[in-house]
Amino acid sequence: MPKEIMKFIEIKNFTEDLISWQRAQGRHHLPWQVNRTAYRVWLSEIMLQQTQVSTVVDRYQSFLKRFPNIQVLAGSSVDDVLAEWSGMGYYTRARNLHKCAQVVVNEYDGNFPNDPLLLERLPGIGKSTAAAIAVFSYGVRAAILDGNVKRVLARIWGVGDDLSKSAAVKSLWAHAEQLLPNKSADLVSYTQGLMDFGATHCTQYQPVCMRLDKKECLFKNRCQANLSNKVNQIPLKVKKINVQQIEMDWWIYIYRGKVFLEKRPENGIWASLWSFPEQNIFNKNDAEKLNSVKHVLTHRHLKIHPYKILLSSQPKKIKVDQAWVPLGDALKLGLPKPVSAFLKSQDLAHDDA
């Protein structure tokens, strides 16, 4: 049989089998699947970029309650958006979410475009996210290729190339587009199937083929990585993350039930979030040194040294991006996760000078 026909059959079988699997065993009750408006799909896709589904399920509902539509989101302040996002990390997502909402309201009358190329031009929306919005909300034929999908396709077709290289990714994009079903009625099931299979079966660590019961994997007899015992090696990861070891101080000033916070710069770690000063800006010498706090980020390992100071009077001269905040209100602001956790763990409410 000619190679071209074999390849066609191979692709057709994969696509049809994945669609059948998703309809029978895939996920159907996630909150963003109930009403697939472009706003709801977009919000879920952005949240899921760096956050686990279990976390997003709860936070998604909370976010929708606070910002039920794109007009409300666009009309809110970025501080309000960051506050609602607090604790999920990768805060650039939240800032881009706010920017994107304003662009859609101002330039598209509050309606997301259905063209993936136009969607891709919006703040924070990449090629794969644009395709997901187009497929789920408008039924447009477009291919996704997020981290889960790259892993699935690379393993099944035995792509051992370094996926940090643009040539390898370009090749996978071409393959992903070939795999798309021809029937528009199958697009949603196929696209959701890729997401579901990568998230629940062909996972990065301990995929089902490496567990005791290998019959669970739909493609166990066709997956080249499985057949060649290279599941752990595919996809290939050559690029190493350079992790910085950072130490910083926190100066925690308390005055009559209020805590002093300042907004961080627009660039760098925890950009635009509220945090404690890293310097003794009020030049106090009677600080109480508290236990160090460790916090791990993707590219940074932080060791934080907190110093608590109870003030007998409130300094009058503060900058625009600084504020005395009642402790009960502080947790409503956009805070880095370790700041939020610290405020919750300390009995600061009774530290009245």
Side-chain angles (χ1 to χ4, degrees):
M1 186 178 294
K3 288 184 179 180
E4 291 78 11
I5 296 178
M6 286 288 292
K7 187 174 182 180
F8 173 78
I9 293 173
E10 185 180 57
I11 287 175
K12 183 172 182 289
N13 287 345
F14 171 84
T15 301
E16 291 183 351
D17 287 350
L18 186 66
I19 291 169
S20 298
W21 175 85
Q22 199 284 325
R23 288 172 176 166
Q25 301 182 43
R27 301 177 295 190
H28 298 276
H29 304 291
L30 296 171
W32 45 89
Q33 294 176 317
V34 177
N35 179 19
R36 292 193 193 231
T37 64
Y39 176 70
R40 291 168 63 93
V41 171
W42 163 67
L43 176 59
S44 67
E45 287 296 318
I46 299 301
M47 285 187 164
L48 289 165
Q49 283 175 0
Q50 302 286 353
T51 309
Q52 292 182 345
V53 171
S54 57
T55 300
V56 172
V57 167
D58 291 332
R59 297 304 300 271
Y60 174 82
Q61 301 283 38
S62 174
F63 198 95
L64 268 185
K65 187 176 181 180
R66 177 65 182 82
F67 308 104
N69 56 57
I70 198 162
Q71 288 79 10
V72 173
L73 179 58
S76 301
S77 70
V78 69
D79 280 342
D80 287 342
V81 178
L82 288 168
E84 187 60 43
W85 196 272
S86 184
M88 284 201 293
Y90 298 95
Y91 292 93
T92 299
R93 293 181 296 168
R95 289 187 288 274
N96 281 334
L97 205 72
H98 187 247
K99 290 178 186 176
C100 182
Q102 292 183 324
V103 172
V104 172
V105 167
N106 294 330
E107 298 183 16
Y108 294 96
D109 198 26
N111 299 305
F112 280 89
N114 59 11
D115 185 342
L117 294 178
L118 291 178
L119 286 166
E120 196 178 342
R121 295 175 188 170
L122 295 172
I125 296 182
K127 185 176 180 179
S128 188
T129 299
I133 298 169
V135 169
F136 290 132
S137 301
Y138 300 116
V140 173
R141 193 170 185 268
I144 64 169
L145 193 70
D146 62 10
N148 278 336
V149 179
K150 288 178 184 177
R151 183 171 60 252
V152 171
L153 300 188
R155 282 176 175 169
I156 291 178
W157 271 273
V159 179
D161 299 329
D162 178 6
L163 296 189
S164 68
K165 304 295 184 182
S166 59
V169 175
K170 185 177 180 180
S171 175
L172 272 187
W173 268 115
H175 199 59
E177 288 164 359
Q178 286 181 313
L179 290 166
L180 284 169
N182 292 317
K183 296 180 182 177
S184 58
D186 293 335
L187 277 171
V188 168
S189 294
Y190 172 75
T191 304
Q192 187 66 54
L194 280 174
M195 294 178 172
D196 292 351
F197 196 78
T200 64
H201 278 54
C202 196
T203 52
Q204 183 173 358
Y205 305 107
Q206 289 298 309
V208 294
C209 61
M210 297 186 69
R211 301 173 201 167
L212 294 178
D213 187 2
K214 291 191 177 184
K215 68 180 181 181
E216 291 182 64
C217 182
L218 176 65
F219 303 107
K220 66 175 184 177
N221 294 323
R222 288 175 277 174
C223 174
Q224 296 304 306
N226 181 47
L227 294 173
S228 60
N229 293 316
K230 292 183 178 179
V231 174
N232 276 335
Q233 287 78 48
I234 297 177
L236 178 65
K237 291 185 178 180
V238 175
K239 189 176 180 180
K240 294 183 178 180
I241 297 176
N242 183 25
V243 178
Q244 292 180 286
Q245 304 292 331
I246 298 175
E247 295 203 26
M248 66 171 64
D249 294 337
W250 277 349
W251 292 86
I252 303 153
Y253 301 102
I254 307 293
Y255 174 73
R256 293 191 176 180
K258 295 181 179 179
V259 62
F260 184 80
L261 298 173
E262 61 180 15
K263 184 177 283 192
R264 295 184 63 85
E266 293 183 358
N267 298 305
I269 184 173
W270 301 324
S272 299
L273 298 181
W274 290 89
S275 186
F276 304 116
E278 293 182 25
Q279 295 180 339
N280 186 3
I281 59 176
F282 296 135
N283 297 315
K284 298 296 179 178
N285 298 318
D286 53 347
E288 175 189 357
K289 186 174 182 179
L290 305 177
N291 292 332
S292 296
V293 175
K294 292 183 179 180
H295 187 67
V296 176
L297 299 171
T298 305
H299 298 90
R300 302 178 181 94
H301 289 179
L302 309 179
K303 187 173 183 181
I304 304 163
H305 308 288
Y307 297 88
K308 184 172 71 175
I309 300 174
L310 306 181
L311 298 179
S312 57
S313 62
Q314 180 176 318
K316 301 298 182 185
K317 292 184 179 181
I318 61 174
K319 298 178 182 179
V320 174
D321 288 338
Q322 297 174 334
W324 285 98
V325 185
L327 289 164
D329 296 334
L331 291 172
K332 299 176 184 177
L333 298 175
L335 305 173
K337 191 172 183 178
V339 173
S340 176
F342 182 84
L343 287 173
K344 290 176 182 177
S345 68
Q346 302 292 315
D347 189 16
L348 302 179
H350 297 94
D351 289 334
D352 295 334

